[in-house]
Each structure stands twice: as structure tokens, then as C-alpha cells.
Amino acid sequence: MTSQNNILNLFEFDNQFNKLIIGTDEAGRGPAAGGVFASAVYFPKKTDTLINELSILNDSKQLSKKKRESLYDIIKNETINSTICIEVNEIEEINILNSSLKAMRLACENVVSGINNDKVLVLVDGNRLVKNLTYPQKFIVKGDAKSASIAAASILAKVTRDRYMEELDLKYPQYGWAKNAGYLTKEHLSAIDKYGLTPHHRPSFLKKHFAKQEQLSLF
């Protein structure tokens, strides 16, 4: 499938609902450090020029960092969008799933406030609906590979979070966050064992690791 056909299919997926489509996706549910981010995106206009500029649009995980960065500014400038971060302290309070859904809800509410509420349909990536969202919504499994709006939201969330982790890496370079984005790579775990946790780590994500270390120390 060519890039041009792919982007047309992504927009056609959204068009089938005959609604004002807002796509939402998150980034950062899996890592053991850093906040979780969610973005929401609405395309007010879908011109030939825009479709051409977004020809490589896809699920952010399928694109290189360079390609994600090239799409980021286009999406930011050509859409109504919002990106929300829920930080570690709240993740530890309400858990990562609820934090992700809350970030999605807040991002969607910000976007909806700028368009006609009566015709809105929110497309949510994944297999769960957003809690306490008062607008019509539909979850789309693997939506970031099907919907233009969700794919665009996945780019904004991913790029924003990567930049955030790169900023944190400047303060805590020993953990390698610019490269691992907070995921528990072997190097990251070794750094945790050597230097301990920072305020940006999620302790609940490290219970199994510390339990294993405790067991090993008994021998």
C-alpha cells in the first residue's frame, strides 16, 4: 500500500461516521518513570495539501523518531488539539489506567470546547471508553493504524512525552531516559539498583523488581 493510499484510508475511516471526529490516544502507560500523556486531535479542514503533507501518517510506533518529528508541527498547526500529562504522584494514587483515561478525557474536553458539541464523536484508541466523558464516543482497537485523528493524536502524545523525558534526562542522565523513555531496560534497572529512585519513578511499577532483588539478597 502506498503512503498516499494509506492516508486516504485513514481519513476515510473517520469520514464514515459522518460526525466531527476527535481522535484520542496516550503515550507512556508502560514505562516505570515519567508521566503519562494523552492527546486529542480534530481536523477542521482536510485539504489536498494537508493530505499530501501527512502522507506518511501512521501509528506513532510504526514511524521513526525523525518522521514523527516531521509530522508533529504539521499536526499542531493544522488541527484543534490538546495534550495532557498526568504526573507520577497521581499515577501512584489512582493507577496508570485511570490516569491514562483521565488524560484522554481532559484532552478531549479541551478540543470539544472549540467545536460544535452536537455533532462530535470521540474515537478512543484501544478497547476501553473514556470514563466520565459526556460526549458520544467509540473505542477503536488498534485505532492508531486505522483512524487519521487517532494516528495524529498518537504522534502528538508520543513526541511530547519523548521531549519531556529528554528534559528529565538532563537532570538524571544516569538512567538513560533520553533513550529508554523510562521503560525498564536492563541499563535502567541497573541504574535504579545503583542510584535508587527519583521523584519521577513509579514505585508501583517496580515492586516485582525489588521483591526479586530482596529474594536474591537472601542467598
Side-chain angles (χ1 to χ4, degrees), residues 16-40:
Q16 71 178 303
F17 298 102
N18 199 29
K19 296 283 187 179
L20 302 180
I21 297 298
I22 296 172
T24 186
D25 198 4
E26 55 76 27
R29 273 183 64 173
V36 64
F37 284 68
S39 295

mmCIF file of all heavy atoms in Angstrom, residues 16-40:
data_model
loop_
_atom_site.group_PDB
_atom_site.id
_atom_site.type_symbol
_atom_site.label_atom_id
_atom_site.label_comp_id
_atom_site.label_asym_id
_atom_site.label_seq_id
_atom_site.Cartn_x
_atom_site.Cartn_y
_atom_site.Cartn_z
ATOM 1 N N GLN A 16 -16.456 7.923 7.620
ATOM 2 C CA GLN A 16 -17.593 7.005 7.575
ATOM 3 C C GLN A 16 -18.631 7.280 8.660
ATOM 4 O O GLN A 16 -19.803 6.928 8.515
ATOM 5 C CB GLN A 16 -17.102 5.560 7.702
ATOM 6 C CG GLN A 16 -16.585 5.213 9.091
ATOM 7 C CD GLN A 16 -16.136 3.773 9.232
ATOM 8 O OE1 GLN A 16 -16.931 2.866 8.981
ATOM 9 N NE2 GLN A 16 -14.881 3.571 9.624
ATOM 10 N N PHE A 17 -18.216 7.927 9.742
ATOM 11 C CA PHE A 17 -19.130 8.161 10.862
ATOM 12 C C PHE A 17 -20.017 9.381 10.651
ATOM 13 O O PHE A 17 -20.976 9.588 11.396
ATOM 14 C CB PHE A 17 -18.329 8.306 12.161
ATOM 15 C CG PHE A 17 -17.542 7.079 12.524
ATOM 16 C CD1 PHE A 17 -16.172 7.013 12.300
ATOM 17 C CD2 PHE A 17 -18.172 5.965 13.070
ATOM 18 C CE1 PHE A 17 -15.430 5.888 12.623
ATOM 19 C CE2 PHE A 17 -17.443 4.826 13.394
ATOM 20 C CZ PHE A 17 -16.069 4.784 13.166
ATOM 21 N N ASN A 18 -19.655 10.195 9.659
ATOM 22 C CA ASN A 18 -20.453 11.398 9.351
ATOM 23 C C ASN A 18 -20.633 12.295 10.578
ATOM 24 O O ASN A 18 -21.715 12.815 10.839
ATOM 25 C CB ASN A 18 -21.819 11.007 8.780
ATOM 26 C CG ASN A 18 -22.473 12.152 8.026
ATOM 27 O OD1 ASN A 18 -21.786 13.010 7.467
ATOM 28 N ND2 ASN A 18 -23.799 12.175 8.017
ATOM 29 N N LYS A 19 -19.566 12.412 11.340
ATOM 30 C CA LYS A 19 -19.541 13.241 12.549
ATOM 31 C C LYS A 19 -18.284 14.099 12.543
ATOM 32 O O LYS A 19 -17.397 13.941 11.694
ATOM 33 C CB LYS A 19 -19.531 12.353 13.804
ATOM 34 C CG LYS A 19 -20.764 11.500 13.993
ATOM 35 C CD LYS A 19 -21.939 12.295 14.517
ATOM 36 C CE LYS A 19 -23.106 11.399 14.858
ATOM 37 N NZ LYS A 19 -24.273 12.161 15.397
ATOM 38 N N LEU A 20 -18.193 15.006 13.516
ATOM 39 C CA LEU A 20 -16.953 15.740 13.740
ATOM 40 C C LEU A 20 -16.088 14.853 14.631
ATOM 41 O O LEU A 20 -16.360 14.696 15.818
ATOM 42 C CB LEU A 20 -17.226 17.087 14.411
ATOM 43 C CG LEU A 20 -18.166 18.035 13.658
ATOM 44 C CD1 LEU A 20 -18.340 19.336 14.429
ATOM 45 C CD2 LEU A 20 -17.659 18.310 12.254
ATOM 46 N N ILE A 21 -15.083 14.258 14.037
ATOM 47 C CA ILE A 21 -14.308 13.226 14.725
ATOM 48 C C ILE A 21 -13.148 13.828 15.511
ATOM 49 O O ILE A 21 -12.319 14.572 14.970
ATOM 50 C CB ILE A 21 -13.762 12.193 13.725
ATOM 51 C CG1 ILE A 21 -14.904 11.464 13.025
ATOM 52 C CG2 ILE A 21 -12.827 11.200 14.432
ATOM 53 C CD1 ILE A 21 -15.799 10.668 13.957
ATOM 54 N N ILE A 22 -13.110 13.470 16.791
ATOM 55 C CA ILE A 22 -11.945 13.755 17.631
ATOM 56 C C ILE A 22 -11.285 12.416 17.943
ATOM 57 O O ILE A 22 -11.938 11.492 18.438
ATOM 58 C CB ILE A 22 -12.348 14.445 18.946
ATOM 59 C CG1 ILE A 22 -12.954 15.815 18.663
ATOM 60 C CG2 ILE A 22 -11.145 14.580 19.886
ATOM 61 C CD1 ILE A 22 -13.554 16.475 19.883
ATOM 62 N N GLY A 23 -10.010 12.297 17.624
ATOM 63 C CA GLY A 23 -9.272 11.088 17.957
ATOM 64 C C GLY A 23 -8.431 11.305 19.189
ATOM 65 O O GLY A 23 -7.893 12.400 19.394
ATOM 66 N N THR A 24 -8.333 10.289 20.021
ATOM 67 C CA THR A 24 -7.502 10.421 21.224
ATOM 68 C C THR A 24 -6.663 9.161 21.435
ATOM 69 O O THR A 24 -7.107 8.048 21.151
ATOM 70 C CB THR A 24 -8.349 10.731 22.476
ATOM 71 O OG1 THR A 24 -7.488 10.983 23.586
ATOM 72 C CG2 THR A 24 -9.290 9.594 22.821
ATOM 73 N N ASP A 25 -5.445 9.372 21.914
ATOM 74 C CA ASP A 25 -4.512 8.279 22.176
ATOM 75 C C ASP A 25 -3.565 8.713 23.282
ATOM 76 O O ASP A 25 -3.426 9.911 23.564
ATOM 77 C CB ASP A 25 -3.726 7.923 20.914
ATOM 78 C CG ASP A 25 -3.078 6.543 20.984
ATOM 79 O OD1 ASP A 25 -3.296 5.831 21.985
ATOM 80 O OD2 ASP A 25 -2.339 6.183 20.049
ATOM 81 N N GLU A 26 -2.912 7.725 23.900
ATOM 82 C CA GLU A 26 -1.993 8.017 25.003
ATOM 83 C C GLU A 26 -0.589 7.521 24.687
ATOM 84 O O GLU A 26 -0.383 6.705 23.796
ATOM 85 C CB GLU A 26 -2.493 7.405 26.305
ATOM 86 C CG GLU A 26 -2.767 5.911 26.273
ATOM 87 C CD GLU A 26 -1.538 5.042 26.319
ATOM 88 O OE1 GLU A 26 -0.508 5.478 26.877
ATOM 89 O OE2 GLU A 26 -1.594 3.915 25.788
ATOM 90 N N ALA A 27 0.348 8.023 25.460
ATOM 91 C CA ALA A 27 1.734 7.553 25.387
ATOM 92 C C ALA A 27 2.295 7.512 26.800
ATOM 93 O O ALA A 27 2.133 8.473 27.562
ATOM 94 C CB ALA A 27 2.582 8.486 24.519
ATOM 95 N N GLY A 28 2.924 6.400 27.147
ATOM 96 C CA GLY A 28 3.579 6.323 28.447
ATOM 97 C C GLY A 28 2.866 5.504 29.492
ATOM 98 O O GLY A 28 3.120 5.665 30.686
ATOM 99 N N ARG A 29 2.008 4.566 29.076
ATOM 100 C CA ARG A 29 1.381 3.695 30.083
ATOM 101 C C ARG A 29 2.368 2.676 30.637
ATOM 102 O O ARG A 29 2.310 2.310 31.802
ATOM 103 C CB ARG A 29 0.177 2.959 29.473
ATOM 104 C CG ARG A 29 -1.119 3.734 29.561
ATOM 105 C CD ARG A 29 -2.287 2.951 29.019
ATOM 106 N NE ARG A 29 -2.575 1.752 29.797
ATOM 107 C CZ ARG A 29 -3.640 0.978 29.598
ATOM 108 N NH1 ARG A 29 -4.502 1.279 28.644
ATOM 109 N NH2 ARG A 29 -3.837 -0.089 30.339
ATOM 110 N N GLY A 30 3.296 2.213 29.805
ATOM 111 C CA GLY A 30 4.168 1.122 30.189
ATOM 112 C C GLY A 30 5.422 1.456 30.973
ATOM 113 O O GLY A 30 5.889 0.642 31.764
ATOM 114 N N PRO A 31 6.013 2.644 30.790
ATOM 115 C CA PRO A 31 7.281 2.952 31.464
ATOM 116 C C PRO A 31 7.156 3.003 32.980
ATOM 117 O O PRO A 31 6.064 3.188 33.520
ATOM 118 C CB PRO A 31 7.643 4.337 30.909
ATOM 119 C CG PRO A 31 6.908 4.437 29.622
ATOM 120 C CD PRO A 31 5.628 3.693 29.836
ATOM 121 N N ALA A 32 8.294 2.873 33.659
ATOM 122 C CA ALA A 32 8.332 2.941 35.117
ATOM 123 C C ALA A 32 8.802 4.302 35.610
ATOM 124 O O ALA A 32 9.034 4.488 36.802
ATOM 125 C CB ALA A 32 9.237 1.859 35.677
ATOM 126 N N ALA A 33 8.938 5.243 34.685
ATOM 127 C CA ALA A 33 9.322 6.607 35.063
ATOM 128 C C ALA A 33 8.619 7.598 34.152
ATOM 129 O O ALA A 33 8.358 7.316 32.986
ATOM 130 C CB ALA A 33 10.836 6.792 34.959
ATOM 131 N N GLY A 34 8.322 8.766 34.724
ATOM 132 C CA GLY A 34 7.702 9.829 33.946
ATOM 133 C C GLY A 34 6.192 9.755 33.933
ATOM 134 O O GLY A 34 5.590 8.725 34.250
ATOM 135 N N GLY A 35 5.570 10.871 33.555
ATOM 136 C CA GLY A 35 4.119 10.943 33.486
ATOM 137 C C GLY A 35 3.568 10.210 32.282
ATOM 138 O O GLY A 35 4.303 9.774 31.401
ATOM 139 N N VAL A 36 2.234 10.079 32.255
ATOM 140 C CA VAL A 36 1.543 9.526 31.099
ATOM 141 C C VAL A 36 0.877 10.689 30.359
ATOM 142 O O VAL A 36 0.319 11.592 30.989
ATOM 143 C CB VAL A 36 0.513 8.455 31.510
ATOM 144 C CG1 VAL A 36 -0.609 9.031 32.372
ATOM 145 C CG2 VAL A 36 -0.055 7.754 30.286
ATOM 146 N N PHE A 37 0.960 10.665 29.052
ATOM 147 C CA PHE A 37 0.447 11.754 28.220
ATOM 148 C C PHE A 37 -0.703 11.238 27.354
ATOM 149 O O PHE A 37 -0.689 10.086 26.913
ATOM 150 C CB PHE A 37 1.542 12.287 27.294
ATOM 151 C CG PHE A 37 2.557 13.150 27.976
ATOM 152 C CD1 PHE A 37 3.445 12.606 28.896
ATOM 153 C CD2 PHE A 37 2.642 14.506 27.704
ATOM 154 C CE1 PHE A 37 4.396 13.394 29.529
ATOM 155 C CE2 PHE A 37 3.586 15.303 28.329
ATOM 156 C CZ PHE A 37 4.465 14.750 29.245
ATOM 157 N N ALA A 38 -1.669 12.104 27.099
ATOM 158 C CA ALA A 38 -2.713 11.800 26.122
ATOM 159 C C ALA A 38 -2.966 13.036 25.283
ATOM 160 O O ALA A 38 -2.908 14.167 25.781
ATOM 161 C CB ALA A 38 -3.993 11.352 26.801
ATOM 162 N N SER A 39 -3.234 12.808 24.016
ATOM 163 C CA SER A 39 -3.566 13.901 23.108
ATOM 164 C C SER A 39 -4.924 13.647 22.467
ATOM 165 O O SER A 39 -5.354 12.494 22.328
ATOM 166 C CB SER A 39 -2.509 14.042 22.006
ATOM 167 O OG SER A 39 -1.259 14.414 22.545
ATOM 168 N N ALA A 40 -5.578 14.717 22.082
ATOM 169 C CA ALA A 40 -6.819 14.646 21.320
ATOM 170 C C ALA A 40 -6.670 15.573 20.116
ATOM 171 O O ALA A 40 -6.098 16.660 20.237
ATOM 172 C CB ALA A 40 -8.009 15.064 22.174
#
